Amino acid sequence: MFYGAKGPDTFDCSGLIYWVYGQLGITVPGATDAYKSYANSDKEIQWSEAQPGDILIVFNTERG
């Protein structure tokens, strides 16, 4: 695994999400840290509300 790798031949975890959504014409952040701004925002949902295709990120501070 190469950190920051966004494909199409090599990916890291967030790079794969970035590449897949990009193939669908959807722009998402290219690094996990960029998702921190979504925490405690109107983009945050309860686990029970998750739908196929949602990007779910759990930060260390949220694990319980």
Side-chain angles (χ1 to χ4, degrees):
M1 178 173 83
F2 297 97
Y3 293 104
K6 293 180 177 55
D9 298 321
T10 304
F11 299 98
D12 70 357
C13 53
S14 58
L16 177 62
I17 299 301
Y18 176 84
W19 185 84
V20 169
Y21 276 78
Q23 297 304 298
L24 300 171
I26 301 169
T27 302
V28 297
T32 304
D33 282 351
Y35 287 96
K36 286 183 179 180
S37 64
Y38 292 102
N40 301 314
S41 75
D42 61 347
K43 303 273 186 194
E44 188 172 350
I45 63 169
Q46 296 297 316
W47 286 103
S48 61
E49 299 174 57
Q51 298 290 313
D54 286 348
I55 299 171
L56 306 177
I57 296 176
V58 179
F59 294 101
N60 288 337
T61 57
E62 298 176 317
R63 293 180 182 174

